[in-house]
Amino acid sequence: MLTIFKAMFKEEWRMHSTMFGNLNFALFPVLIFAIAFMGAFLLPLISNMMDTFILSIVVHAQFFLMGIMVGSFGILGKEIMNRRFGQSSLIAYSARSLPVSEKILFLNFVVKDILYYFILWVLPFCMGFLIASPFMNISLFWPCLLFLTISLAFLTGLCTVFLLSSVYAACKRALYLVLIFLLAGFAIVSIMFGPVSALSYIFLPANLFVSFSYSGLLISLLLIFVLFFLSVVFYSPYDSASEKRYKNQLSSITEKISFFSGSTLVAKDFIDLYRSGIGIGQTLFSFVLPLCLIWLVMSFVNQYLPQTGILFTLAVVTGVIASTMYTWLTEFDSISAYYFLPLKLSSVISAKVKTFTVLQVVPLIFLAFVAVLSDSVGSFPNAAVLCLSISFFELSLMVRLCGLSPGAMIYNVRVFLVYILVTGPVILILLGLTFANPVFAYLSALMLIPAWLLMKSGFKKWDSEDFTGL
């Protein structure tokens, strides 16, 4: 078991380090540490504007959300274990050639991924706060407690989505029943004890940070253990159906979208999304669920933000998360698969950008839903423009910096630093302008100009790259 784990750990390191070097990958947690260290000095200013409990919920919700974003092993694990896309051959696929069960291999794969994300994100963030605390006269008890509760928040989010995605992979109807049960439970607790109390039950680690108790710690650990145990029990590396057969839809879909140049590649992307189940699964677990969670948290800080302010903030967040749809389209694509075809890499990326454009109907539907429920229908056009402008700007930046490997290249410290230095100020300025006057949201459309230039330079850059040897 330990031998497999070590081999998978090395495999993960080599996958990233061979793309952009050992140093660039190793410096990624150092960058997170530096951001957390500098951000800690803003705490006195933020705590003067926001209640401590709400601030605790916001910080822990971010790591709960991160766990949600990376925890859909029930879907992705099946793709990797079955080598569904042919080009991604990992140790996880070795169960068919080695005397090791699929469950053992999959368990190693999950634990390895959890440890990797923990080292890359959770540990450096907490260490940044820990090292900064003596300069701010903060007792060491608080950074140590934060390390514990943030770890619990991350694992709770990850295990929750792991369980939901495993249930979804086993039986889609069962997932809908579970979601209805959870929503009904939240509604009942909200009615009985109030919405803030209900939220504190969901974010138990945040509650633990404000008022620590050993009983609360024990409940949190038990919850994580039960969620993880059930996830592994429900998970199956095999499809429930004996064999899936699909009609050849490439010609018919290509004809329907013939108004796109490169429509064959666009049709291939849609077929990949449909046959792998990633289209629906990722929409649920990497888009709708995180955004609903953020919306839920924001609805409890409405004393600081008006309804339109919440809608615009949610539009910005939706735009950022919507841009990650590009990673859905490239997740299992390999450059080497296209390298032997008479295609420029820019043609492949361009087709994915067109598929991405069609998928942008999903964030628009979500924002329309939020606008209706929050009685802010009049602000929907502003929010839609803001969301789409940010989404396409982030997409163009990913194309320029990462090409067809955004999921891996984002861990290149140079790429990540450029990404946050470019997007952070732009988003803050747009949000500030929109809060000053909602009409200014339309100014965000100007971002499409640099987005177009970035996209063009990205095409030129990746066409000139030499991928010989891949």
Side-chain angles (χ1 to χ4, degrees):
M1 178 107 174
L2 190 59
T3 305
I4 297 172
F5 178 80
K6 285 181 179 175
M8 286 186 171
F9 207 81
K10 287 180 182 175
E11 178 187 59
E12 188 76 22
W13 175 273
R14 286 170 181 164
M15 277 174 58
H16 288 90
S17 61
T18 51
M19 294 184 73
F20 38 81
N22 286 320
L23 185 61
N24 268 330
F25 187 42
L27 284 177
F28 184 83
V30 177
L31 178 63
I32 300 298
F33 166 83
I35 293 171
F37 178 78
M38 291 184 286
F41 290 94
L42 296 176
L43 273 178
L45 178 66
I46 298 172
S47 59
N48 284 334
M49 298 185 294
M50 190 178 288
D51 179 75
T52 307
F53 180 61
I54 298 295
L55 179 60
S56 170
I57 285 182
V58 170
V59 172
H60 286 80
Q62 289 177 2
F63 284 88
F64 185 84
L65 183 66
M66 184 180 296
I68 285 178
M69 297 289 282
V70 302
S72 54
F73 296 114
I75 297 173
L76 293 180
K78 184 171 286 188
E79 306 301 326
I80 292 166
M81 295 290 285
N82 286 282
R83 201 182 175 189
R84 188 70 52 83
F85 290 86
Q87 301 300 322
S88 301
S89 181
L90 305 177
I91 294 174
Y93 184 63
S94 303
R96 304 190 179 185
S97 56
L98 295 176
V100 186
S101 73
E102 286 86 355
K103 287 277 184 186
I104 294 293
L105 274 173
F106 180 68
L107 192 61
N108 274 278
F109 178 81
V110 171
V111 174
K112 177 266 300 175
D113 257 24
I114 292 174
L115 185 59
Y116 242 94
Y117 285 115
F118 190 83
I119 293 173
L120 289 174
W121 292 97
V122 180
L123 185 61
F125 179 87
C126 295
M127 289 302 294
F129 184 56
L130 175 68
I131 301 300
S133 58
F135 298 99
M136 302 164 62
N137 293 322
I138 295 176
S139 165
L140 288 179
F141 169 78
W142 293 109
C144 292
L145 182 60
L146 185 71
F147 178 67
L148 173 66
T149 54
I150 277 183
S151 302
L152 292 174
F154 173 71
L155 291 175
T156 305
L158 185 145
C159 291
T160 301
V161 171
F162 185 12
L163 176 59
L164 292 176
S165 60
S166 295
V167 172
Y168 172 81
C171 177
K172 295 179 177 59
R173 289 182 182 175
L175 173 70
Y176 302 139
L177 288 176
V178 169
L179 289 176
I180 291 171
F181 175 78
L182 291 175
L183 288 173
F186 179 75
I188 292 170
V189 174
S190 297
I191 293 169
M192 290 177 65
F193 302 104
V196 175
S197 298
L199 195 63
S200 69
Y201 286 122
I202 293 177
F203 295 112
L204 199 56
N207 205 21
L208 201 61
F209 179 74
V210 176
S211 55
F212 178 80
S213 68
Y214 286 104
S215 59
L217 176 62
L218 184 62
I219 292 171
S220 295
L221 291 173
L222 276 175
L223 178 65
I224 291 169
F225 174 77
V226 170
L227 289 171
F228 188 80
F229 178 76
L230 290 176
S231 304
V232 175
V233 168
F234 276 108
Y235 174 78
S236 168
Y238 302 112
D239 288 323
S240 53
S242 56
E243 184 178 357
K244 288 184 178 179
R245 291 182 178 276
Y246 297 97
K247 287 169 56 180
N248 185 349
Q249 296 176 300
L250 186 64
S251 300
S252 59
I253 296 178
T254 302
E255 187 178 346
K256 286 177 184 173
I257 57 173
S258 56
F259 50 88
F260 282 134
S261 61
S263 54
T264 305
L265 289 171
V266 179
K268 178 254 181 196
D269 283 338
F270 280 116
I271 291 172
D272 276 350
L273 287 173
Y274 170 67
R275 291 186 181 179
S276 65
I278 282 182
I280 298 174
Q282 291 284 44
T283 302
L284 275 175
F285 299 115
S286 299
F287 187 82
V288 176
L289 197 58
L291 282 174
C292 285
L293 179 68
I294 293 168
W295 185 18
L296 180 67
V297 171
M298 292 184 68
S299 65
F300 288 95
V301 296
N302 56 7
Q303 55 184 310
Y304 307 102
L305 290 173
Q307 283 298 326
T308 52
I310 290 177
L311 178 65
F312 291 138
T313 307
L314 201 57
V316 169
V317 177
T318 304
V320 173
I321 294 182
S323 68
T324 62
M325 288 178 175
Y326 181 61
T327 62
W328 305 0
L329 302 171
T330 57
E331 196 149 18
F332 291 98
D333 254 333
S334 170
I335 293 174
S336 59
Y338 298 104
Y339 199 61
F340 300 99
L341 298 174
L343 285 171
K344 286 184 176 179
L345 204 56
S346 60
S347 302
V348 179
I349 298 174
S350 174
K352 295 195 181 299
V353 170
K354 287 160 189 161
T355 313
F356 174 92
T357 304
V358 176
L359 291 176
Q360 293 310 291
V361 71
V362 178
L364 287 181
I365 291 173
F366 176 78
L367 278 180
F369 183 72
V370 173
V372 170
L373 288 187
S374 60
D375 198 22
S376 307
V377 176
S379 300
F380 171 71
N382 314 52
V385 172
L386 186 62
C387 169
L388 291 180
S389 301
I390 289 175
S391 180
F392 278 98
F393 180 75
E394 300 255 317
L395 166 72
S396 64
L397 199 57
M398 276 195 281
V399 167
R400 178 70 178 83
L401 295 173
C402 308
L404 277 177
S405 308
M409 289 294 287
I410 200 66
Y411 290 104
N412 180 330
V413 67
R414 184 174 57 82
V415 169
F416 184 70
L417 189 60
V418 172
Y419 181 81
I420 58 173
L421 287 178
V422 172
T423 59
V426 169
I427 287 174
L428 286 176
I429 290 170
L430 280 176
L431 204 54
L433 286 172
T434 308
F435 269 65
N437 189 333
V439 175
F440 289 151
Y442 293 112
L443 288 178
S444 61
L446 294 174
M447 292 169 64
L448 296 177
I449 298 172
W452 173 249
L453 296 174
L454 277 170
M455 195 83 73
K456 284 182 66 176
S457 69
F459 290 166
K460 191 174 178 181
K461 172 188 173 184
W462 294 109
D463 276 341
S464 61
E465 285 284 328
D466 183 7
F467 295 101
T468 306
L470 289 179

